[in-house]
Amino acid sequence: MNLPLSTIQEDVEMINTPNTRAALSNTYPFFSSEFLRRHGRDLIAASINWFLIDIVFYSLNLFQHHVFSGHLIPKIQMNIYKDALQIARFQALIAICATIPGYILTVYMIDHIGRVKIQAIGFFFMAVSLFTIAKVNMNGDHPNLFIILYGFTFFFSNFGPNTTTFIVPAELFPARFRATCHGISGAVGKVGAIIGSIGYVWASRDPPNGLGVSTTLMVMGGVCGLGFFVTYFFTRETMGRSLEENENVDELTGVWFVRFWPHKFWARRNEVKGFGLLEMK
């Protein structure tokens, strides 16, 4: 905080002086048309992804009663402290076997396969797990299988969007917008958490008062499928690029809405030109 302004390169580049004028890329304000052109898609994608994972993640925490019920001692046979302890044991089991390994694998793999691929993989296998749990629930009680599938869902939540939705907004945006955009994405995510928590309590009740547990799980699987779609088509990869490189957004990024169209188009075009030149030689 005590450094003179002249030593901070980013701030210098944003200042108009009598002899120089800062580039437009360094001076456009937040939520301006230029901001929306360059970063609007990224902000919307990051916010939607965080919104969708929080709907499912917080609903999953409420679903644990159905998962553990076949292994729990009835509450009438114990006091409230012992009841809390037996639930905590199963939660610790899920954390040790699924949640923590998912985080560890993400830390190891995130710079090898990328944020977008991990997020897409996580959403996809969460959807598969939730559809499978719904099917198993329709066919009767299978407490051991419930716990395995429940842990599988949490594993791919953490080796997936529950981790990457926090990382991607912190890397996508210029430094002067980064905290605000990350906060907006997180706030939208918490709206999803509220909807997931309240909605699950209502939807999981037996018909006609609700949708039933199996249908609710299928809806949650559909939400994960939507997350896969948004991640694959609209979320930009930041792997292998520094924060400074992410600020220098390709001009085409803001023009095209789907993330890979311009990149694949120009890459293919250059590839074809290269082959043509080789043939001519």
Side-chain angles (χ1 to χ4, degrees):
M1 295 295 293
N2 294 326
L3 290 174
L5 188 62
S6 60
T7 64
I8 305 176
Q9 183 63 28
E10 180 187 3
D11 290 337
V12 171
E13 292 174 352
M14 295 174 59
I15 297 174
N16 291 321
T17 69
N19 299 321
T20 62
R21 294 197 58 82
L24 174 63
S25 60
N26 294 323
T27 58
Y28 59 89
F30 187 62
F31 274 149
S32 63
S33 59
E34 183 68 14
F35 171 86
L36 295 176
R37 190 185 75 84
R38 290 171 177 265
H39 309 293
R41 183 206 63 191
D42 293 334
L43 180 58
I44 292 171
S47 299
I48 291 176
N49 285 326
W50 208 327
F51 174 80
L52 295 175
I53 183 56
D54 276 9
I55 288 178
V56 177
F57 186 81
Y58 285 84
S59 299
L60 282 173
N61 286 294
L62 298 176
F63 178 64
Q64 66 185 5
H65 168 72
H66 297 276
V67 176
F68 302 145
S69 59
H71 296 275
L72 297 177
I73 300 173
K75 294 183 179 182
I76 59 173
Q77 300 180 19
M78 62 178 65
N79 60 39
I80 189 172
Y81 303 106
K82 291 183 178 179
D83 181 46
L85 180 60
Q86 68 170 350
I87 293 176
R89 287 172 179 166
F90 283 104
Q91 290 175 328
L93 177 67
I94 295 295
I96 293 170
C97 297
T99 306
I100 295 174
Y103 276 128
I104 293 173
L105 187 61
T106 298
V107 170
Y108 179 75
M109 296 296 295
I110 196 165
D111 284 326
H112 293 280
I113 64 176
R115 287 80 167 140
V116 170
K117 287 183 179 178
I118 288 177
Q119 187 166 297
I121 289 169
F123 269 128
F124 177 80
F125 283 104
M126 284 180 71
V128 171
S129 299
L130 288 166
F131 286 134
T132 305
I133 295 174
K135 182 66 175 178
V136 170
N137 188 66
M138 290 179 182
N139 295 334
D141 290 334
H142 300 276
N144 293 329
L145 185 57
F146 263 172
I147 291 178
I148 293 172
L149 291 171
Y150 186 69
F152 194 68
T153 306
F154 266 100
F155 175 84
F156 279 103
S157 172
N158 292 321
F159 179 62
N162 196 42
T163 303
T164 54
T165 50
F166 191 89
I167 296 172
V168 170
E171 297 179 333
L172 272 179
F173 304 100
R176 63 188 185 279
F177 304 136
R178 191 171 295 142
T180 303
C181 292
H182 196 280
I184 291 172
S185 301
V188 173
K190 296 314 122 183
V191 173
I194 294 171
I195 293 174
S197 300
I198 297 175
Y200 179 83
V201 172
W202 168 80
S204 61
R205 293 183 295 180
D206 294 331
N209 297 321
L211 300 177
V213 173
S214 295
T215 303
T216 302
L217 290 170
M218 294 182 70
V219 171
M220 291 163 60
V223 170
C224 290
L226 180 59
F228 173 84
F229 177 84
V230 174
T231 297
Y232 184 78
F233 287 101
F234 302 108
T235 304
R236 194 155 54 92
E237 181 60 76
T238 59
M239 181 183 68
R241 301 179 63 178
S242 66
L243 296 178
E244 290 75 16
E245 289 173 328
N246 286 329
E247 291 191 26
N248 299 322
V249 182
D250 188 337
E251 289 296 325
L252 286 172
T253 299
V255 178
W256 298 77
F257 195 64
V258 178
R259 68 176 174 91
F260 52 75
W261 285 356
H263 306 84
K264 287 194 173 182
F265 173 79
W266 290 111
R268 178 61 180 166
R269 181 177 177 179
N270 292 334
E271 181 182 346
V272 171
K273 281 187 174 180
F275 281 125
L277 291 173
L278 288 175
E279 289 177 359
M280 290 176 64
K281 291 180 179 180

